[in-house]
Amino acid sequence: MGGAARNLATLMTGVSLEMTGKDVPELAAARELLPAGTRINITSLATEDLSLRLAAARAVKAYGMTPVPHLSARRLTSVAELDETLAALHTIGASENIFVAGGDPDRPQGPFPDSLSVITSGLLETHVVRRVSITGYPEGHPGIPDDALWPTLTSKLAALEARDLHAEIITQFGFDADPVLDWIAAVRERGITAGIRVGVPGPAGVSRLLRYATRLGVATGTGLARRFGADLLATAGPDRFLEALATDYHPDRHGLVGLHFYTFGGLRATAQWITDTEK
């Protein structure tokens, strides 16, 4: 096995995937393809209420996998709502692993303007949260100045360490391996040792990928089509991205790195792609 193939096998060990509350049928269709314990992130969408996300977390647990519910800071209307959300997750055994993000709203709907304010609320520890994932932005963020991203990241990691909460970074998905690897190297140069999961777009229609990428400021249509070698009506997989990532990934420089698949509603298709790739 060559170096790139060896690296890809390392990166593919223990991958995580993402779903919405409405994706439970997709999860049911994919469950035979996913190893026990697979981490499944459950997004927090404005169109899905807590009961739907709790049902998804129950399904993840029922299929022998690990739910990672999302908390969207700016969507929380009160401290009581955060407390009640965490209590409900704890009741069903789904509070140990949490992903905390600022969320989509430009203005906070309550007292939490960002993910750091959730982390420092003290409520995570109260409800037996053990592991917290936060977001990394290798290609920047359309709503956050670049010079603010590093102090924001280090502040969140310091707050998690102070509370004895295990930290993990999950990056936004991208299409170019070079800026991702450069960003990870810069993270390590700052003395940050937390595990990093690189966001990977699962197989999906290029037009759908473009919609998500444009919203997040990740890529242009021309660049996306060029990177995947496909037209906008085609379906693209992450093969080229992962090949480039594995080729230039150096464990001694980049540290502990894994993969997180954004499924865009295609959880079953992504699980099948992972299974086929690992053969």
Side-chain angles (χ1 to χ4, degrees):
M1 182 183 288
R6 210 167 31 245
N7 283 346
L8 182 57
T10 298
L11 293 167
M12 291 284 290
T13 300
V15 300
S16 57
L17 298 90
E18 194 140 319
M19 67 177 287
T20 71
K22 295 177 181 176
D23 286 338
V24 172
E26 280 278 324
L27 179 66
R31 67 184 187 276
E32 299 299 332
L33 298 169
L34 299 171
T38 298
R39 293 167 63 83
I40 306 292
N41 284 33
I42 303 165
T43 60
S44 176
L45 301 179
T47 55
E48 297 182 351
D49 62 16
L50 178 59
S51 64
L52 197 61
R53 298 197 296 275
L54 290 173
R58 288 191 190 95
V60 171
K61 285 180 62 67
Y63 295 139
M65 289 172 270
T66 302
V68 185
H70 287 202
L71 295 175
S72 178
R74 286 189 288 275
R75 285 206 190 96
L76 294 165
T77 59
S78 65
V79 173
E81 183 182 357
L82 174 58
D83 188 38
E84 291 163 6
T85 298
L86 290 168
L89 291 170
H90 179 59
T91 297
I92 65 170
S95 68
E96 186 171 337
N97 299 274
I98 296 291
F99 178 91
V100 184
D104 293 334
D106 292 332
R107 295 178 179 275
Q109 297 172 7
F112 300 105
D114 50 33
S115 52
L116 180 61
S117 59
V118 172
I119 293 168
T120 58
S121 69
L123 289 172
L124 301 183
E125 308 95 287
T126 300
H127 294 287
V128 202
V129 174
R130 304 295 186 205
R131 184 185 186 106
V132 177
S133 301
I134 58 175
T135 311
Y137 301 98
E139 296 184 77
H141 186 288
I144 304 174
D146 288 346
D147 59 2
L149 286 173
W150 285 116
T152 298
L153 178 65
T154 55
S155 295
K156 287 185 286 190
L157 291 169
L160 290 170
E161 183 178 6
R163 287 156 180 77
D164 200 25
L165 295 170
H166 182 86
E168 181 180 68
I169 303 167
I170 300 178
T171 75
Q172 287 285 16
F173 75 90
F175 305 109
D176 283 335
D178 287 346
V180 173
L181 290 168
D182 289 345
W183 180 85
I184 294 173
V187 168
R188 301 310 184 203
E189 288 167 3
R190 285 168 166 78
I192 297 170
T193 59
I196 296 173
R197 290 182 183 267
V198 173
V200 180
V206 174
S207 59
R208 174 174 287 193
L209 291 173
L210 176 59
R211 287 198 300 273
Y212 281 93
T214 301
R215 189 183 75 184
L216 297 171
V218 173
T220 65
T222 301
L224 177 57
R226 183 180 67 250
R227 291 179 182 101
F228 282 104
D231 63 52
L232 296 182
L233 298 178
T235 297
D239 308 69
R240 293 188 179 188
F241 172 77
L242 289 179
E243 180 182 359
L245 189 73
T247 298
D248 293 326
Y249 165 63
H250 300 288
D252 56 340
R253 182 184 183 200
H254 299 113
L256 178 62
V257 177
L259 303 178
H260 176 75
F261 284 85
Y262 293 90
T263 62
F264 310 114
L267 182 58
R268 173 65 171 76
T270 301
Q272 185 66 62
W273 184 93
I274 293 168
T275 299
D276 294 342
T277 300
E278 291 177 330
K279 288 180 180 178

